[in-house]
Amino acid sequence: MGRIVLEKVKKSFSEVTVIPPLDLEIEDGEFVVFVGPSGCGKSTLLRLIAGLEDVTDGTIRIDGNDATSIPPAKRGLAMVFQSYALYPHMSVRKNIAFPLKMAKMDQAEINRRVENAASVLNLTDYLDRRPGQLSGGQRQRVAIGRAIVREPAAFLFDEPLSNLDAALRVGMRMEISELHKKLDTTMIYVTHDQVEAMTMADKIVVLRAGNIEQVGSPLELYREPRNLFVAGFIGSPKMNLIEGAEAAKHGAHTIGIRPEHIDVVEAAGEGVWSGVVGVSEHLGSDTFFHIHETGLAETITVRADGEVSLKHGDTIHLKPRADVIHRFDAEGLRQS
Amino acid sequence: MATQHSRSAARLMMAPAVVLLLGWMLVPLSMTLWFSFRKFLPLRGGDQGFVGFDNYVRFISSSSFWPAVQTTLVIVLGVLIITIVFGVLLAMLLDQPIWGQGIVRILIIAPFFVMPTVSALVWKNIFMDPVNGLLAHLWRAFGADPVVWLTDVPVYSIVMILSWQWLPFATLILLTAIQSLDGEQLEASEMDGAGFLSRFIYIILPHLSRAITIVILIQTIFLLSIFAEIFVTTGGAFGTRTLTYLIFQRVLESQNVGLGSAGGVYAIILANIVAIFLMRIVGKNLDA
Ligand SMILES: Nc1ncnc2c1ncn2[C@@H]1O[C@H](COP(=O)(O)OP(=O)(O)OP(=O)(O)O)[C@@H](O)[C@H]1O
Ligand SMILES: [Mg+2]
């Protein structure tokens, strides 16, 4: 069980309000990702849920019980820190067993659970090593192992992959998703990487300056961003945002069109944009062109097939797909 | 490029320092060894030739030798235990964010800057004086008979003075160590259900073990050779004679250089035994 509900939760550090009153519901078994730019309060929110920070105001309910003033250890949550926070003087085995030892569990049960966690996480061969003798990915797994042996109601991850290299990050991403499927436990995951958010989440919470901008499944956020901030934050490369006359044609203050929703066409015509190719990024399967001098915006990014060959300085004609143009009003809110 | 040439140049340039250091150590050491085998009584006939191991046997069989060793150990161990226990507690206290932190820290460090002779005199005359001392007043305020510190409990009094002097050092080293403890580790252990005591035993103490070893090592080296504190307070009376003080008395009060030198050689051996033990422990702790 791990249903977590935040009601009007607010957090201030002395005079500065980092989280204005905020409501959020996290269902049992859900994989929820908090994303947002640096300093927007993701870690603070996670630490409030963990109990490592006291809320200034509001209520946190875990499985229906008021947990606002319950100490962290009693909330039944486990946390994986960005720095792993392993105990350097203990072996991997002792690290993983530590929460069980603190819970005064009997030794046979501790051993069983540690062995179990180690085999799930491929750590069996490393149980007698110290954390200092492990690679980053292995340390990460030990930190996860220490979390899963407690069989918590929910896992909290604070940017757990940001210290790993790109390849390992993709691998660990899969492993964590896999783990979620296997354990079926609530997970709350903080990241500033929208790719991690899109690939792992059941539900994404987009935060800006402590405010929730939008909550929804990855595809909801991708298809129907509620405002310009979410539109610009979700999706890679970023959505093209166009103001002025072109937007007015669609009856909006700003229109947004994703790079993958623009087609490269042969000739100019009605509703076709023309521009000059700037930098192109070849990924093999796809190529991203950055187009200048369209008269619409500074640059327009377009995704084209990897086979399309256009050079720097060539003229290009673009046709946006009319059915996937996002329209926003002067306040930056989505127009249906 | 570390060529043959540059390496020999390096040796040449280091040579003066090495020679100076060697001379600094070797000359007194060999003089001590030399005198320890001779009968040398400056005021009673001067240097009277070799006597073999006579001085060594006499030093060790003297009735003051074993008590001196015992006093030395009691003082060293006592001060180590007090400074480390209170050092750890103070360091944890000072690590908390408190108002006026900077000033409190300076106050705590201050005793370390007081010269040993001065601090011993201050303690002797201002605190421990049985008639006018502050402690005597305190005792009387509670209606008790003042303790005659330096006569009744002389060794513990000296341990107290020394602890007061060395506590700042221990606190300072342990405080820097505590400050380097990763806050996330403490938070992780808190989430793992460790209470204050468990956090102290399983996280803080292991983290401090290296700093504690260093404090033990450095303090032992200095405590084995304390002199001023005893000279100024009890003058070696009432069983406060340490090995160092005994050697001083043999050479200067009894005017027996040979006997004192033999004692010096014993002290060197004792210090080396301690050093070997400590090196082992430190070695084990430092590579962890
Ligand atoms: N202990 C504190 N005292 C005062 N201000 C704090 C404290 N902790 C965090 N803040 C402030 O709260 C805001 C949110 O911080 P938080 O660590 O939650 O950001 P974040 O979203 O996790 O950012 P990042 O992606 O960089 O980790 C920041 O502006 C930060 O300066
Ligand atoms: Mg953060």
Side-chain angles (χ1 to χ4, degrees):
Chain A
M1 282 297 285
R3 189 181 133 83
I4 299 169
V5 179
L6 309 185
E7 291 167 4
K8 304 249 177 308
V9 167
K10 180 181 166 203
K11 176 68 185 174
S12 313
F13 291 107
S14 52
E15 294 302 295
V16 192
T17 301
V18 175
I19 312 251
L22 165 154
D23 292 287
L24 181 65
E25 288 186 22
I26 294 163
E27 299 300 330
D28 185 32
E30 243 179 354
F31 196 119
V32 178
V33 175
F34 294 169
V35 306
S38 186
C40 69
K42 307 179 292 288
S43 301
T44 308
L45 192 55
L46 197 72
R47 292 165 56 83
L48 287 173
I49 296 173
L52 294 172
E53 301 278 1
D54 294 323
V55 298
T56 310
D57 205 4
T59 316
I60 297 173
R61 291 182 195 283
I62 299 176
D63 290 332
N65 306 317
D66 185 348
T68 318
S69 48
I70 294 180
K74 303 250 161 64
R75 296 191 183 191
L77 309 174
M79 183 148 168
V80 176
F81 292 83
Q82 181 175 349
S83 68
Y84 316 135
L86 300 178
Y87 312 128
H89 47 273
M90 296 184 200
S91 64
V92 168
R93 184 190 302 278
K94 289 208 174 124
N95 261 285
I96 298 178
F98 189 73
L100 305 180
K101 189 170 165 188
M102 289 300 110
K104 306 221 164 39
M105 198 173 274
D106 75 63
Q107 194 59 43
E109 175 67 8
I110 292 183
N111 289 342
R112 196 188 63 74
R113 286 205 193 185
V114 171
E115 298 291 338
N116 209 348
S119 75
V120 170
L121 294 163
N122 286 324
L123 285 171
T124 311
D125 297 339
Y126 306 106
L127 278 177
D128 295 313
R129 293 215 199 159
R130 294 275 182 92
Q133 301 163 315
L134 299 178
S135 73
Q138 289 161 344
R139 281 181 215 184
Q140 186 60 67
R141 286 206 287 268
V142 176
I144 295 174
R146 195 171 63 187
I148 62 177
V149 284
R150 291 175 56 194
E151 299 178 357
F155 292 94
L156 312 176
F157 295 91
D158 191 356
E159 308 207 18
L161 307 185
S162 54
N163 288 346
L164 304 179
D165 71 49
L168 202 50
R169 208 178 297 175
V170 175
M172 284 303 297
R173 214 157 73 195
M174 305 283 224
E175 281 186 41
I176 293 176
S177 296
E178 195 90 0
L179 195 68
H180 178 243
K181 296 275 175 322
K182 206 179 306 180
L183 300 174
D184 216 18
T185 312
T186 312
M187 291 190 175
I188 305 178
Y189 188 104
V190 165
T191 179
H192 57 252
D193 179 354
Q194 61 94 24
V195 178
E196 269 175 32
M198 292 295 281
T199 50
M200 301 171 84
D202 295 326
K203 183 157 101 183
I204 297 180
V205 178
V206 183
L207 291 164
R208 177 169 60 163
N211 286 302
I212 295 183
E213 295 291 314
Q214 189 170 3
V215 179
S217 73
L219 286 183
E220 273 168 34
L221 264 57
Y222 177 82
R223 290 191 184 132
E224 292 183 6
R226 214 174 58 122
N227 56 30
L228 278 176
F229 179 78
V230 179
F233 199 79
I234 300 290
S236 167
K238 281 172 73 148
M239 180 188 284
N240 298 298
L241 296 173
I242 299 162
E243 292 179 2
E246 186 66 26
K249 272 193 221 165
H250 294 86
H253 181 267
T254 311
I255 55 166
I257 177 99
R258 295 192 185 279
E260 53 270 41
H261 296 150
I262 301 176
D263 295 318
V264 178
V265 292
E266 290 295 324
E270 177 59 25
V272 173
W273 303 334
S274 301
V276 177
V277 176
V279 175
S280 24
E281 298 173 279
H282 299 279
L283 302 182
S285 58
D286 302 311
T287 304
F288 294 109
F289 293 110
H290 297 265
I291 318 291
H292 304 290
E293 297 171 34
T294 52
L296 303 165
E298 183 91 9
T299 44
I300 296 284
T301 313
V302 180
R303 188 191 69 182
D305 197 86
E307 303 303 318
V308 176
S309 60
L310 282 165
K311 292 192 304 295
H312 190 274
D314 285 355
T315 303
I316 188 172
H317 305 289
L318 309 167
K319 188 166 176 55
R321 293 180 202 160
D323 54 332
V324 281
I325 289 178
H326 306 269
R327 302 181 310 132
F328 301 96
D329 65 17
E331 266 88 61
L333 288 176
R334 181 181 192 80
Q335 296 172 316
S336 60
Chain B
M1 254 197 308
T3 56
Q4 196 72 36
H5 186 76
S6 68
R7 244 178 286 150
S8 51
R11 279 205 200 108
L12 199 71
M13 291 189 205
M14 280 193 320
V18 172
V19 169
L20 194 71
L21 271 177
L22 268 181
W24 206 274
M25 274 174 49
L26 278 184
V27 172
L29 181 65
S30 32
M31 275 176 73
T32 308
L33 276 172
W34 168 259
F35 283 129
S36 72
F37 289 107
R38 296 182 77 87
K39 182 167 180 169
F40 187 8
L41 309 163
L43 294 183
R44 286 169 282 149
D47 196 344
Q48 293 162 34
F50 279 105
V51 289
F53 281 92
D54 208 27
N55 286 324
Y56 287 90
V57 177
R58 274 184 54 201
F59 191 87
I60 212 167
S61 57
S62 132
S63 61
S64 358
F65 177 71
W66 287 110
V69 171
Q70 195 192 341
T71 309
T72 311
L73 291 181
V74 168
I75 290 181
V76 171
L77 286 179
V79 176
L80 282 181
I81 291 170
I82 292 177
T83 51
I84 285 170
V85 169
F86 285 93
V88 170
L89 293 178
L90 269 177
M92 292 204 304
L93 211 61
L94 289 180
D95 189 37
Q96 307 299 317
I98 43 171
W99 189 81
Q101 201 165 36
I103 290 175
V104 172
R105 283 187 189 167
I106 289 173
L107 283 180
I108 296 249
I109 309 303
F112 200 53
F113 299 119
V114 179
M115 278 180 279
T117 326
V118 176
S119 84
L121 280 173
V122 166
W123 273 90
K124 181 184 180 183
N125 295 324
I126 298 184
F127 288 106
M128 290 176 167
D129 189 275
V131 182
N132 279 319
L134 287 177
L135 293 175
H137 283 299
L138 187 69
W139 254 246
R140 267 189 234 110
F142 286 99
D145 268 342
V147 179
V148 190
W149 292 93
L150 289 166
T151 316
D152 291 350
V153 279
V155 174
Y156 296 114
S157 303
I158 287 175
V159 168
M160 198 147 90
I161 297 173
L162 286 169
S163 301
W164 181 80
Q165 270 174 27
W166 282 95
L167 186 58
F169 171 76
T171 309
L172 194 64
I173 302 262
L174 293 169
L175 178 64
T176 46
I178 268 190
Q179 283 172 336
S180 74
L181 177 58
D182 176 17
E184 287 199 344
Q185 255 182 57
L186 282 179
E187 286 179 345
S189 63
E190 199 179 334
M191 293 217 57
D192 283 345
F196 177 76
L197 203 62
S198 304
R199 282 210 295 279
F200 178 71
I201 294 172
Y202 293 107
I203 314 291
I204 298 177
L205 219 46
H207 177 79
L208 287 182
S209 63
R210 189 179 299 189
I212 290 176
T213 325
I214 288 168
V215 170
I216 293 179
L217 178 72
I218 293 177
Q219 284 197 12
T220 307
I221 289 167
F222 280 94
L223 290 174
L224 279 175
S225 59
I226 49 147
F227 178 79
E229 293 83 349
I230 299 173
F231 186 76
V232 169
T233 51
T234 61
F238 317 118
T240 58
R241 195 155 43 190
T242 60
L243 209 50
T244 318
Y245 205 84
L246 184 64
I247 294 165
F248 157 76
Q249 284 188 332
R250 290 288 183 260
V251 174
L252 281 155
E253 286 178 9
S254 332
Q255 286 290 323
N256 190 337
V257 175
L259 192 58
S261 299
V265 175
Y266 280 122
I268 293 169
I269 294 170
L270 178 73
N272 274 290
I273 293 174
V274 174
I276 288 169
F277 266 110
L278 288 172
M279 287 304 185
R280 286 248 172 106
I281 305 171
V282 174
K284 224 185 263 166
N285 253 327
L286 289 190
D287 64 21

